[in-house]
PDB file of all heavy atoms in Angstrom:
ATOM      1  N   VAL A 135      23.926  -9.763  14.042  1.00 96.00           N
ATOM      2  CA  VAL A 135      23.838 -10.852  13.056  1.00 96.00           C
ATOM      3  C   VAL A 135      24.403 -10.479  11.695  1.00 96.00           C
ATOM      4  O   VAL A 135      24.552 -11.344  10.849  1.00 96.00           O
ATOM      5  CB  VAL A 135      22.385 -11.357  12.898  1.00 96.00           C
ATOM      6  CG1 VAL A 135      21.843 -11.864  14.228  1.00 96.00           C
ATOM      7  CG2 VAL A 135      21.487 -10.288  12.325  1.00 96.00           C
ATOM      8  N   SER A 136      24.684  -9.224  11.433  1.00 92.00           N
ATOM      9  CA  SER A 136      25.200  -8.687  10.176  1.00 92.00           C
ATOM     10  C   SER A 136      24.165  -8.766   9.047  1.00 92.00           C
ATOM     11  O   SER A 136      23.111  -9.359   9.184  1.00 92.00           O
ATOM     12  CB  SER A 136      26.518  -9.357   9.762  1.00 92.00           C
ATOM     13  OG  SER A 136      26.290 -10.656   9.252  1.00 92.00           O
ATOM     14  N   TRP A 137      24.526  -8.128   7.953  1.00 90.00           N
ATOM     15  CA  TRP A 137      23.683  -8.119   6.756  1.00 90.00           C
ATOM     16  C   TRP A 137      24.085  -9.317   5.903  1.00 90.00           C
ATOM     17  O   TRP A 137      25.278  -9.628   5.818  1.00 90.00           O
ATOM     18  CB  TRP A 137      23.925  -6.811   5.994  1.00 90.00           C
ATOM     19  CG  TRP A 137      23.022  -6.615   4.828  1.00 90.00           C
ATOM     20  CD1 TRP A 137      21.815  -5.986   4.844  1.00 90.00           C
ATOM     21  CD2 TRP A 137      23.233  -7.024   3.481  1.00 90.00           C
ATOM     22  NE1 TRP A 137      21.274  -5.989   3.591  1.00 90.00           N
ATOM     23  CE2 TRP A 137      22.120  -6.634   2.726  1.00 90.00           C
ATOM     24  CE3 TRP A 137      24.243  -7.713   2.825  1.00 90.00           C
ATOM     25  CZ2 TRP A 137      21.989  -6.874   1.372  1.00 90.00           C
ATOM     26  CZ3 TRP A 137      24.116  -7.965   1.472  1.00 90.00           C
ATOM     27  CH2 TRP A 137      23.002  -7.544   0.768  1.00 90.00           C
ATOM     28  N   PRO A 138      23.168 -10.020   5.330  1.00 93.00           N
ATOM     29  CA  PRO A 138      21.750  -9.740   5.125  1.00 93.00           C
ATOM     30  C   PRO A 138      20.833 -10.361   6.172  1.00 93.00           C
ATOM     31  O   PRO A 138      19.618 -10.277   6.062  1.00 93.00           O
ATOM     32  CB  PRO A 138      21.484 -10.371   3.760  1.00 93.00           C
ATOM     33  CG  PRO A 138      22.337 -11.595   3.750  1.00 93.00           C
ATOM     34  CD  PRO A 138      23.600 -11.183   4.486  1.00 93.00           C
ATOM     35  N   TYR A 139      21.423 -10.993   7.217  1.00 95.00           N
ATOM     36  CA  TYR A 139      20.610 -11.724   8.192  1.00 95.00           C
ATOM     37  C   TYR A 139      19.677 -10.812   8.981  1.00 95.00           C
ATOM     38  O   TYR A 139      18.643 -11.262   9.474  1.00 95.00           O
ATOM     39  CB  TYR A 139      21.512 -12.542   9.109  1.00 95.00           C
ATOM     40  CG  TYR A 139      22.353 -13.501   8.315  1.00 95.00           C
ATOM     41  CD1 TYR A 139      23.674 -13.199   8.005  1.00 95.00           C
ATOM     42  CD2 TYR A 139      21.806 -14.670   7.798  1.00 95.00           C
ATOM     43  CE1 TYR A 139      24.431 -14.046   7.227  1.00 95.00           C
ATOM     44  CE2 TYR A 139      22.555 -15.527   7.015  1.00 95.00           C
ATOM     45  CZ  TYR A 139      23.872 -15.213   6.730  1.00 95.00           C
ATOM     46  OH  TYR A 139      24.615 -16.049   5.943  1.00 95.00           O
ATOM     47  N   SER A 140      20.009  -9.546   9.093  1.00 94.00           N
ATOM     48  CA  SER A 140      19.140  -8.598   9.787  1.00 94.00           C
ATOM     49  C   SER A 140      17.944  -8.194   8.930  1.00 94.00           C
ATOM     50  O   SER A 140      16.973  -7.651   9.437  1.00 94.00           O
ATOM     51  CB  SER A 140      19.928  -7.343  10.139  1.00 94.00           C
ATOM     52  OG  SER A 140      20.358  -6.695   8.950  1.00 94.00           O
ATOM     53  N   GLY A 141      18.031  -8.420   7.626  1.00 94.00           N
ATOM     54  CA  GLY A 141      16.989  -7.978   6.699  1.00 94.00           C
ATOM     55  C   GLY A 141      17.181  -6.524   6.306  1.00 94.00           C
ATOM     56  O   GLY A 141      17.874  -5.758   6.987  1.00 94.00           O
ATOM     57  N   GLU A 142      16.605  -6.167   5.178  1.00 94.00           N
ATOM     58  CA  GLU A 142      16.644  -4.788   4.685  1.00 94.00           C
ATOM     59  C   GLU A 142      15.402  -4.546   3.849  1.00 94.00           C
ATOM     60  O   GLU A 142      15.042  -5.364   3.006  1.00 94.00           O
ATOM     61  CB  GLU A 142      17.887  -4.566   3.828  1.00 94.00           C
ATOM     62  CG  GLU A 142      17.975  -3.178   3.223  1.00 94.00           C
ATOM     63  CD  GLU A 142      19.213  -2.992   2.362  1.00 94.00           C
ATOM     64  OE1 GLU A 142      20.235  -3.655   2.596  1.00 94.00           O
ATOM     65  OE2 GLU A 142      19.135  -2.173   1.420  1.00 94.00           O
ATOM     66  N   ILE A 143      14.747  -3.428   4.116  1.00 95.00           N
ATOM     67  CA  ILE A 143      13.596  -2.987   3.321  1.00 95.00           C
ATOM     68  C   ILE A 143      13.992  -1.688   2.634  1.00 95.00           C
ATOM     69  O   ILE A 143      14.245  -0.687   3.305  1.00 95.00           O
ATOM     70  CB  ILE A 143      12.346  -2.761   4.197  1.00 95.00           C
ATOM     71  CG1 ILE A 143      11.937  -4.051   4.909  1.00 95.00           C
ATOM     72  CG2 ILE A 143      11.191  -2.205   3.346  1.00 95.00           C
ATOM     73  CD1 ILE A 143      10.832  -3.867   5.933  1.00 95.00           C
ATOM     74  N   ASP A 144      14.096  -1.714   1.314  1.00 95.00           N
ATOM     75  CA  ASP A 144      14.400  -0.509   0.538  1.00 95.00           C
ATOM     76  C   ASP A 144      13.083   0.146   0.142  1.00 95.00           C
ATOM     77  O   ASP A 144      12.395  -0.335  -0.752  1.00 95.00           O
ATOM     78  CB  ASP A 144      15.202  -0.854  -0.709  1.00 95.00           C
ATOM     79  CG  ASP A 144      16.582  -1.398  -0.386  1.00 95.00           C
ATOM     80  OD1 ASP A 144      17.093  -1.079   0.699  1.00 95.00           O
ATOM     81  OD2 ASP A 144      17.143  -2.131  -1.216  1.00 95.00           O
ATOM     82  N   ILE A 145      12.745   1.244   0.811  1.00 96.00           N
ATOM     83  CA  ILE A 145      11.514   1.967   0.519  1.00 96.00           C
ATOM     84  C   ILE A 145      11.601   2.615  -0.862  1.00 96.00           C
ATOM     85  O   ILE A 145      10.627   2.709  -1.584  1.00 96.00           O
ATOM     86  CB  ILE A 145      11.239   3.032   1.604  1.00 96.00           C
ATOM     87  CG1 ILE A 145      11.144   2.357   2.979  1.00 96.00           C
ATOM     88  CG2 ILE A 145       9.983   3.839   1.284  1.00 96.00           C
ATOM     89  CD1 ILE A 145      11.153   3.328   4.138  1.00 96.00           C
ATOM     90  N   MET A 146      12.812   3.038  -1.228  1.00 95.00           N
ATOM     91  CA  MET A 146      13.046   3.641  -2.533  1.00 95.00           C
ATOM     92  C   MET A 146      14.538   3.642  -2.795  1.00 95.00           C
ATOM     93  O   MET A 146      15.322   3.993  -1.931  1.00 95.00           O
ATOM     94  CB  MET A 146      12.513   5.078  -2.562  1.00 95.00           C
ATOM     95  CG  MET A 146      12.542   5.771  -3.907  1.00 95.00           C
ATOM     96  SD  MET A 146      14.114   6.362  -4.534  1.00 95.00           S
ATOM     97  CE  MET A 146      14.747   7.309  -3.196  1.00 95.00           C
ATOM     98  N   GLU A 147      14.919   3.231  -4.003  1.00 93.00           N
ATOM     99  CA  GLU A 147      16.296   3.333  -4.473  1.00 93.00           C
ATOM    100  C   GLU A 147      16.266   3.964  -5.856  1.00 93.00           C
ATOM    101  O   GLU A 147      15.467   3.569  -6.690  1.00 93.00           O
ATOM    102  CB  GLU A 147      16.948   1.952  -4.604  1.00 93.00           C
ATOM    103  CG  GLU A 147      17.656   1.488  -3.374  1.00 93.00           C
ATOM    104  CD  GLU A 147      18.453   0.232  -3.649  1.00 93.00           C
ATOM    105  OE1 GLU A 147      17.845  -0.823  -3.828  1.00 93.00           O
ATOM    106  OE2 GLU A 147      19.692   0.328  -3.670  1.00 93.00           O
ATOM    107  N   TYR A 148      17.142   4.915  -6.066  1.00 92.00           N
ATOM    108  CA  TYR A 148      17.207   5.599  -7.357  1.00 92.00           C
ATOM    109  C   TYR A 148      18.613   5.412  -7.922  1.00 92.00           C
ATOM    110  O   TYR A 148      19.584   5.829  -7.304  1.00 92.00           O
ATOM    111  CB  TYR A 148      16.878   7.080  -7.175  1.00 92.00           C
ATOM    112  CG  TYR A 148      17.150   7.919  -8.391  1.00 92.00           C
ATOM    113  CD1 TYR A 148      16.596   7.598  -9.622  1.00 92.00           C
ATOM    114  CD2 TYR A 148      17.957   9.039  -8.316  1.00 92.00           C
ATOM    115  CE1 TYR A 148      16.854   8.375 -10.753  1.00 92.00           C
ATOM    116  CE2 TYR A 148      18.213   9.823  -9.431  1.00 92.00           C
ATOM    117  CZ  TYR A 148      17.660   9.476 -10.643  1.00 92.00           C
ATOM    118  OH  TYR A 148      17.912  10.239 -11.742  1.00 92.00           O
ATOM    119  N   VAL A 149      18.695   4.772  -9.078  1.00 87.00           N
ATOM    120  CA  VAL A 149      20.004   4.460  -9.657  1.00 87.00           C
ATOM    121  C   VAL A 149      20.289   5.233 -10.950  1.00 87.00           C
ATOM    122  O   VAL A 149      21.103   4.809 -11.754  1.00 87.00           O
ATOM    123  CB  VAL A 149      20.159   2.939  -9.893  1.00 87.00           C
ATOM    124  CG1 VAL A 149      20.166   2.196  -8.581  1.00 87.00           C
ATOM    125  CG2 VAL A 149      19.072   2.414 -10.811  1.00 87.00           C
ATOM    126  N   GLY A 150      19.626   6.374 -11.146  1.00 84.00           N
ATOM    127  CA  GLY A 150      19.987   7.251 -12.249  1.00 84.00           C
ATOM    128  C   GLY A 150      19.048   7.269 -13.444  1.00 84.00           C
ATOM    129  O   GLY A 150      19.213   8.071 -14.340  1.00 84.00           O
ATOM    130  N   GLU A 151      18.067   6.383 -13.487  1.00 86.00           N
ATOM    131  CA  GLU A 151      17.072   6.395 -14.574  1.00 86.00           C
ATOM    132  C   GLU A 151      15.913   7.274 -14.125  1.00 86.00           C
ATOM    133  O   GLU A 151      15.173   6.901 -13.211  1.00 86.00           O
ATOM    134  CB  GLU A 151      16.578   4.980 -14.872  1.00 86.00           C
ATOM    135  CG  GLU A 151      17.672   4.031 -15.305  1.00 86.00           C
ATOM    136  CD  GLU A 151      18.197   4.348 -16.691  1.00 86.00           C
ATOM    137  OE1 GLU A 151      17.439   4.861 -17.527  1.00 86.00           O
ATOM    138  OE2 GLU A 151      19.389   4.085 -16.924  1.00 86.00           O
ATOM    139  N   LYS A 152      15.750   8.441 -14.732  1.00 88.00           N
ATOM    140  CA  LYS A 152      14.792   9.434 -14.244  1.00 88.00           C
ATOM    141  C   LYS A 152      13.352   8.961 -14.216  1.00 88.00           C
ATOM    142  O   LYS A 152      12.537   9.487 -13.473  1.00 88.00           O
ATOM    143  CB  LYS A 152      14.867  10.707 -15.084  1.00 88.00           C
ATOM    144  CG  LYS A 152      16.053  11.566 -14.758  1.00 88.00           C
ATOM    145  CD  LYS A 152      16.117  12.799 -15.613  1.00 88.00           C
ATOM    146  CE  LYS A 152      14.953  13.710 -15.367  1.00 88.00           C
ATOM    147  NZ  LYS A 152      15.089  15.018 -15.977  1.00 88.00           N
ATOM    148  N   ASP A 153      12.994   7.936 -15.025  1.00 91.00           N
ATOM    149  CA  ASP A 153      11.578   7.574 -15.128  1.00 91.00           C
ATOM    150  C   ASP A 153      11.160   6.451 -14.182  1.00 91.00           C
ATOM    151  O   ASP A 153      10.000   6.060 -14.175  1.00 91.00           O
ATOM    152  CB  ASP A 153      11.219   7.214 -16.570  1.00 91.00           C
ATOM    153  CG  ASP A 153      11.952   5.985 -17.097  1.00 91.00           C
ATOM    154  OD1 ASP A 153      13.012   5.639 -16.552  1.00 91.00           O
ATOM    155  OD2 ASP A 153      11.455   5.394 -18.060  1.00 91.00           O
TER     156      ASP A 153
END
Side-chain angles (χ1 to χ4, degrees):
V135 301
S136 75
W137 186 91
Y139 302 99
S140 63
E142 177 181 332
I143 300 172
D144 294 335
I145 302 168
M146 187 285 308
E147 269 189 288
Y148 170 55
V149 294
E151 300 289 330
K152 283 179 64 169
D153 64 338

